[in-house]
Amino acid sequence: MAAASTGAGRITAVEDSGGGSFDAKYHTKVTVLGSAAVGKTCLVRQLCFKKYQETYKVTLGADFGACLAHLDGTVCHVQIWDTAGHERFNSMGPAFYRGSQACILVYDVTSPKSFEDLREWKESFEEQADIAEDEDFPFIVVGNKCDLPKEDQLVPEAKAARWARENGCAAHFLCSAKEMTNVHAMLLDVVRLVLKRLKAREAAVDTADMFKDGGIKIDETVDKSDGCAC
């Protein structure tokens, strides 16, 4: 399976890395949410297995796949969770959302109802993943099925992009899981956001370690025989 490349980054399958052996410095979990039949499973399977089918069995509870994102010399192992879009599975949220470092909100561009449902999905995730206080948590909005005829696309792109901005989402993408339009670019954007947060935390920890135990210690072996008190 060939690697997919977008700009400075590329996506590869875990199976392409020597039978599951890979050298990833970072590991992240991304949750995909949205109403039933918006194409979540198609997106996940394209990202993780580069496979597309017109029909899939309804996801029961959750399923997941994994891929590798290569960005600026850094390899990140991405575990992508595909969750059920039916209300009866909402109670399982805490178990499936826990540990997520980004969330992809998916709607069907031909279904205004699936777009309207995004608010509820986002609020449910914030509550059940316990990230309500995390104002910078990465949310990405995806309008799937953009390969369909324009006259069938009932959710205006500008409206969806505005909703994403007004609701604290980092970006909005029009994608086609069927034709792979923007699919890898979207995931690479997600991973960039996650890595930015992870690296910021690493820098904060390094700074804290530098100042613990009384602060930075200056080399006490400097020769002060010349009488300088510096």
Side-chain angles (χ1 to χ4, degrees):
M1 188 185 300
S5 178
T6 304
R10 60 193 176 97
I11 301 293
T12 59
V14 172
E15 65 190 48
D16 291 338
S17 303
S21 174
F22 53 87
D23 183 19
K25 181 177 181 180
Y26 296 96
H27 298 259
T28 188
K29 174 182 176 180
V30 176
T31 297
V32 182
L33 294 180
S35 299
V38 297
K40 299 185 300 296
T41 299
C42 291
L43 285 167
V44 173
R45 289 188 66 80
Q46 281 282 36
L47 285 165
C48 299
F49 310 110
K50 215 173 182 184
K51 295 179 180 178
Y52 178 82
Q53 294 175 218
E54 288 289 345
T55 59
Y56 286 100
K57 292 181 180 179
V58 174
T59 302
L60 300 178
D63 196 3
F64 67 89
C67 61
L68 301 176
H70 306 254
L71 280 168
D72 303 322
T74 299
V75 180
C76 182
H77 176 264
V78 188
Q79 190 179 83
I80 308 174
W81 282 67
D82 170 22
T83 59
H86 293 277
E87 292 182 357
R88 66 179 182 275
F89 295 114
N90 283 358
S91 61
M92 300 180 183
F96 297 141
Y97 303 165
R98 189 175 299 118
S100 297
Q101 292 173 304
C103 179
I104 300 171
L105 300 168
V106 185
Y107 69 96
D108 177 348
V109 296
T110 71
S111 170
K113 178 64 166 62
S114 70
F115 173 69
E116 293 168 4
D117 289 343
L118 291 186
R119 183 181 302 278
E120 184 176 346
W121 284 111
K122 184 174 184 289
E123 291 176 352
S124 174
F125 180 86
E126 289 173 333
E127 178 181 351
Q128 298 189 59
D130 195 25
I131 54 107
E133 301 301 320
D134 189 349
E135 296 181 356
D136 296 324
F137 187 89
F139 284 95
I140 297 286
V141 178
V142 170
N144 191 31
K145 307 184 185 181
C146 73
D147 57 286
L148 295 176
K150 289 293 184 182
E151 57 268 25
D152 294 335
Q153 298 184 30
L154 305 178
V155 181
E157 180 180 3
K159 178 180 180 180
R162 183 173 64 252
W163 185 91
R165 289 194 303 272
E166 293 175 351
N167 286 274
C169 300
H172 169 263
F173 285 86
L174 286 182
C175 295
S176 168
K178 182 177 182 179
E179 297 185 355
M180 285 299 290
T181 306
N182 281 338
V183 174
H184 287 109
M186 176 272 295
L187 185 64
L188 288 170
D189 203 49
V190 171
V191 175
R192 283 190 186 94
L193 292 167
V194 171
L195 290 180
K196 181 179 179 180
R197 285 163 58 90
L198 291 176
K199 291 177 179 179
R201 290 175 185 173
E202 287 179 348
V205 170
D206 289 344
T207 300
D209 288 345
M210 187 184 301
F211 285 96
K212 72 180 181 181
D213 298 327
I216 301 175
K217 294 186 180 299
I218 300 175
D219 189 351
E220 297 177 354
T221 64
V222 176
D223 184 3
K224 297 181 180 180
S225 58
D226 59 357
C228 177
C230 297

